[in-house]
Amino acid sequence: MNYPFEIEMKVRDYECDIQGIVNNSVYQNYLEHARHEYLQHNNVSFADMHNRGVDPVVARIDMAFKTPLKPGDVFVVKINVQKEGFKYVFHQTIYRKADMKLSLKARVDTVVVIDGKLTSSVPEFDKLVMNE
């Protein structure tokens, strides 16, 4: 899969559990931060959309944990967006940078509501869609 956007991040000590690996809940923070950076990179403002009554919301997240990240690990989050019906599907992967070993693979289904009503399309997100 082609990933048109990636962002580098680093594991902080406090994100790890007693096993010395990143706590599973923290990966959602990594994914969300990367999505927001991706939107900003593409000149899409969450705040502006909300002020117009347009709200993208996460409907479902599927995550497959592959290789745990540890304190100090530098990693790369990659993003691809596809459209499936009403959903904008963010395919995201996390790779440990030192060896580019897959750490996590995720699918984040997002829907958009306008003034509280589900909509099938918004220009800001349509321009992000990869047709593969």
Side-chain angles (χ1 to χ4, degrees), residues 39-110:
L39 294 175
Q40 285 183 345
H41 176 78
N42 284 284
N43 300 311
V44 177
S45 168
F46 238 53
D48 290 346
M49 290 177 73
H50 175 74
N51 290 338
R52 294 191 338 263
V54 179
D55 291 303
V57 294
V58 170
R60 179 185 180 113
I61 298 177
D62 290 317
M63 297 188 298
F65 299 92
K66 302 297 185 180
T67 303
L69 294 173
K70 297 179 180 178
D73 279 348
V74 175
F75 60 95
V76 178
V77 183
K78 298 183 177 196
I79 297 177
N80 174 300
V81 182
Q82 296 179 331
K83 186 88 165 82
E84 291 181 10
F86 280 79
K87 297 181 286 193
Y88 292 92
V89 180
F90 288 79
H91 296 278
Q92 295 182 254
T93 55
I94 296 178
Y95 290 90
R96 186 172 54 206
K97 190 171 181 188
D99 56 7
M100 290 309 286
K101 191 161 188 174
L102 181 63
S103 178
L104 180 128
K105 188 174 182 177
R107 174 188 164 117
V108 182
D109 293 349
T110 304

